[in-house]
Amino acid sequence: MKPQPSRVPLANLLSTCVLALALVVTATAVTALVRSPRQVTAHTGRGSHWVNTWTGMPQLTEAGNLPPAPFTGERSVLADTTLRQSVRVTTGGHRLRLRFSNAYGDTPLPLTAVTVALPQDGRAGVSAIVPGSLHPVTFSGRAATVVPVGAQVVSDPVDFELTPGANVTVTAYTAQGQPDLKLTSHPGSRTTSYLLTGDHTEDSDLTGATRVDHWYLLSDVEVLAPAATRAVAVLGDSLTDGRGSTTNGNDRWPDQFFDRLRSRPAGSDLAVLNQAAGGNRVLDDGLGPNVLARLDRDVLSRSGVSWLIVFEGINDIGTAAATPEAQRAVADDLIAAYRQIVVRAHAQGIRVYGATLLPFGGNAYDDGAGVRETARRHVNAWIRGHGHFDAVIDFDRVVRDPADPSRLRADLQVGDWLHLNPTGYGVLAGAVPTELFRRG
């Protein structure tokens, strides 16, 4: 007899088919995981990605910078309060997202309602908005959200047309407010914000509101931009935060540098992120955490950053003892810290440019014997040295007094011989070579 062909039980055949199908599905899932986010996340659009277009370095609000009464109580801040503030974006887009920070809160921060709009006449620091421009902002599909202790929340995308250099108005209402006095803010806003009791997030103007020149809670604005759009972040202190600049004038040196970029071909595809705070230091905490502690939060985690300018260290020198030993130590420590910043940024594919430190002769940092000035010159000599940074921006050279290089030019400073006026900040902006931000 001929041997009979073996028969495969139906159950075994079905099991084989299911296994094959599972392998196909698994392979598809693995392929999706290794694709870029742009390939996987369809709602961002082909060839687009999220880029930070404005930032305000989060800080713990000092007592003198808390909202005035009745918006600050004995145990809470901003209870039953509408907060309207405006910020200037750099690169534009058709969709935006907002980030709110509770980095320094000891309690969760409830946000009851948030809206975004264009300010009246496109101006910074005004309380009125353009009629018909207001859009509600949601968080995971909900109007309200709670920002956990030490965390941030990102809004859902909002269809909103933003042009490069435009001002945008963000209005938030907190029914409960922050149930303690640990409020996250950026005090050095140089921009007027408005506070009013009750929910006025959809009002066209905040008549009778209290004016304050601080930003609270809002830390970032992002736009969905073409894939070629990138950002340059700036680490700095009050010289970058804009002390001495014009309130509501947006004439800090990063603002004026951005204005230069806009005038060049393809200049609108570069965002400028000002991550500075007055009194900040590289090595030690001051107003805000030290640079080495905040580098990941303020630069490496920001969307779309390809370049970093480091312009900070004068407060480290100025607050160290005016002895040769202390100044040699702080200068050496600054140089070591700069090396660390370069290594950590390079690991993320970010090019790092070092800016020389400005003179402070005639300021309180001037010790008379020139000990701190010697440290500043030593640090600047290292910054200018070959191979330390990817490029050098020589701010010291363009604003120092040619007759006395230990002092600023008198016509560029505000009177304290440390901070610049808008003209001086324009000189800094003009000293940044735009060719440093070419791709390739």
Side-chain angles (χ1 to χ4, degrees):
M1 295 180 59
K2 293 182 179 180
Q4 295 296 317
S6 62
R7 298 182 181 271
V8 179
L10 180 58
N12 291 349
L13 181 59
L14 290 174
S15 298
T16 302
C17 292
V18 169
L19 177 60
L21 179 60
L23 289 172
V24 171
V25 171
T26 301
T28 302
V30 170
T31 301
L33 285 171
V34 299
R35 287 176 181 164
S36 69
R38 188 167 62 249
Q39 291 173 302
V40 176
T41 311
H43 77 271
T44 61
R46 178 173 292 277
S48 301
H49 68 154
W50 290 101
V51 176
N52 273 76
T53 184
W54 172 85
T55 59
M57 175 189 151
Q59 298 172 242
L60 175 63
T61 310
E62 298 175 290
N65 291 323
L66 285 168
F71 307 105
T72 295
E74 292 185 3
R75 295 185 178 85
S76 67
V77 186
L78 300 177
D80 189 27
T81 299
T82 292
L83 164 66
R84 176 165 287 179
Q85 46 200 346
S86 60
V87 300
R88 188 196 193 205
V89 303
T90 47
T91 193
H94 305 291
R95 308 186 90 191
L96 64 77
R97 297 192 305 206
L98 307 177
R99 291 177 183 253
F100 289 86
S101 175
N102 192 22
Y104 298 99
D106 284 345
T107 56
L109 169 66
L111 295 175
T112 310
V114 176
T115 60
V116 62
L118 294 174
Q120 187 69 52
D121 300 322
R123 294 185 294 138
V126 297
S127 61
I129 61 174
V130 174
S133 69
L134 186 140
H135 289 68
V137 177
T138 59
F139 303 86
S140 302
R142 299 177 292 182
T145 190
V146 175
V147 191
V149 173
Q152 62 175 245
V153 295
V154 185
S155 77
D156 298 329
V158 180
D159 291 329
F160 196 93
E161 191 72 30
L162 276 179
T163 58
N167 288 294
V168 60
T169 297
V170 177
T171 308
Y173 172 64
T174 57
Q176 180 182 350
Q178 182 96 47
D180 67 9
L181 300 184
K182 298 295 181 66
L183 188 69
T184 301
S185 70
H186 189 87
S189 65
R190 277 85 202 181
T191 307
T192 303
S193 301
Y194 297 84
L195 300 166
L196 190 62
T197 301
D199 184 357
H200 301 277
T201 51
E202 298 187 2
D203 289 11
S204 60
D205 200 353
L206 299 190
T207 304
T210 298
R211 299 162 58 102
V212 290
D213 291 337
H214 308 300
W215 285 315
Y216 298 109
L217 310 182
L218 183 68
S219 63
D220 300 89
V221 179
E222 297 174 294
V223 293
L224 185 61
T229 304
R230 309 303 296 168
V232 50
V234 184
L235 283 173
D237 48 37
S238 55
L239 286 162
T240 299
D241 205 26
R243 182 171 176 180
S245 63
T246 308
T247 299
N248 299 319
N250 285 317
D251 53 15
R252 312 163 189 83
W253 79 258
D255 294 301
Q256 297 192 57
F257 170 58
F258 168 72
D259 291 335
R260 283 186 60 215
L261 288 173
R262 281 200 297 168
S263 65
R264 68 171 192 165
S268 62
D269 63 357
L270 182 61
V272 179
L273 307 180
N274 188 337
Q275 292 287 33
N280 197 240
R281 290 183 285 181
V282 175
L283 302 170
D284 296 305
D285 291 352
L287 293 182
N290 66 78
V291 165
L292 295 179
R294 69 184 180 93
L295 181 65
D296 289 88
R297 183 195 73 180
D298 292 347
V299 177
L300 305 186
S301 66
R302 297 278 74 89
S303 306
V305 174
S306 290
W307 300 276
L308 168 63
I309 297 174
V310 180
F311 178 39
E312 192 162 356
I314 208 69
N315 289 325
D316 297 84
I317 292 172
T319 56
T323 65
E325 296 78 14
Q327 289 299 311
R328 278 196 297 269
V330 75
D332 290 344
D333 288 347
L334 277 173
I335 290 169
Y338 294 148
R339 291 184 186 275
Q340 285 288 307
I341 293 168
V342 171
V343 167
R344 290 165 61 184
H346 280 178
Q348 301 299 319
I350 298 172
R351 295 178 65 82
V352 187
Y353 304 146
T356 52
L357 305 180
L358 307 191
F360 48 79
N363 180 262
Y365 283 170
D366 183 358
D367 58 88
V371 178
R372 291 191 176 111
E373 171 65 7
T374 298
R376 183 187 73 88
R377 294 191 183 193
H378 176 66
V379 171
N380 278 352
W382 184 88
I383 291 173
R384 294 185 179 107
H386 177 71
H388 299 145
F389 288 99
D390 295 305
V392 176
I393 302 169
D394 205 341
F395 282 160
D396 169 50
R397 180 182 59 82
V398 298
V399 297
R400 69 192 181 200
D401 185 346
D404 184 357
S406 69
R407 299 170 74 94
L408 294 167
R409 280 174 44 187
D411 60 319
L412 300 182
Q413 55 91 35
V414 295
D416 66 358
W417 297 98
L418 178 64
H419 298 98
L420 302 178
N421 56 33
T423 301
Y425 287 131
V427 173
L428 294 188
V432 184
T434 58
E435 60 267 21
L436 292 178
F437 306 96
R438 291 173 180 163
R439 291 166 185 81

